[in-house]
Amino acid sequence: MAPPPKGPPARKLLCMCSLSLCLTYACYSLMGGPGALPSSPLAPQGSPLSPSAADTPPPRNGSPAWLRTPSSPSVSAVTEPSRAWTETDPPSASSPSSAPDRDLGVGGDSSSSSASVASAAGSEAAASAAAATATPDYGEKRLPQALIIGVKKGGTRALLEALRAHPDVRAVGTEPHFFDRNYDKGLDWYRDVMPKTLEGQLTMEKTPSYFVTNEAPKRIHSMAKDTKLIVVVRNPVTRAISDYTQTLSKKPEIPTFEVLAFKNRTLGLIDASWSAIRIGIYALHLESWLQYFPLSQIHFVSGERLITDPAGEMAKVQDFLGLKKVVSEKYFYFNKTKGFPCLKKPEDSSAPRCLGKSKGRTHPKIDRDVIQRLRKFYKPFNVMFYQMTGQDFQWEQEEGDK
């Protein structure tokens, strides 16, 4: 009978058992057990695929944190210009901060607007991008919320330039004449004429001939019934002479003021059909406006006080428009040569900027008798105007009209 086969030596059996245990431990480690290896042998240290346990947040949504790329705020969503902004090429970064239509010493507000964009972005990158693209000519074109509607030679240009010194006001420099001459071009044309504004800024324009245009009140009311209206009025006698002086500078061959003012000077009949005379019948024109707008939406500025107390008149205008009282005494300097205040930058010592040579012309000498006859002609209309507006402009008390 053959003897039974011998079993494996004890040393060989021990080696096999040890190898089995090692393989089991290695598999267990690779599967993420308590003895897991610190990093994958395929991912070098410092790689995104091998974060340390201290830097790795707990997994969310069933996937390791290091496999998910955190979403960063989109800078382009903040700094991408609006459609209105890109309608025209912005000036270069070296361009002056004041907008083209701001020519009386107060710069634009690009720096403050850049800061607001940066705040919205919440990052230095957004601030840099906004600063690089911010210009005085950005925002959105809007129809005007306020209009200076009159009167010619009353001081409308002086008022407009003072208002344009306010950072919350953007106004057209030239007169659009939309509601009297260009109405057939439509509101889209009118809006395109306006400067671009930010939310909260006031869009304005001035065309003094609106006040004496019969169709203007209805047309403006059709555009926006809550439009605020400003009328700069002046002693009608002085205004008529100033009107004539302007025409005379362009047409030296016209007849004298005395000839144009009367239908029959011997009888003392004033020619109210002459525009220089007719514009000063303020009560007649105001009646048309009150058919469409309440008196509370119309503010009257004294042309005389705009010269003697510009800061006081500007305070009332800013209140009427709902603006902060920014334009104050420090914005004005009285020019004795021209006879009216000039604007200046309050924050520096630069020379004041005055209105052009077409303002402050020397009036021709008018016969005193003609002036007295005009005073008498205007007096009942002035009294009616005082009653309609609730303001006494005291034109009858003035002496020495030019």
Side-chain angles (χ1 to χ4, degrees), residues 95 137 194 259 316:
S95 299
D137 186 30
M194 295 299 121
V259 170
K316 297 175 185 176

Side-chain angles (χ1 to χ4, degrees), residues 198-210:
L198 295 175
E199 192 67 33
Q201 287 184 318
L202 189 69
T203 304
M204 291 189 66
E205 69 112 323
K206 78 107 177 170
T207 304
S209 55
Y210 290 163

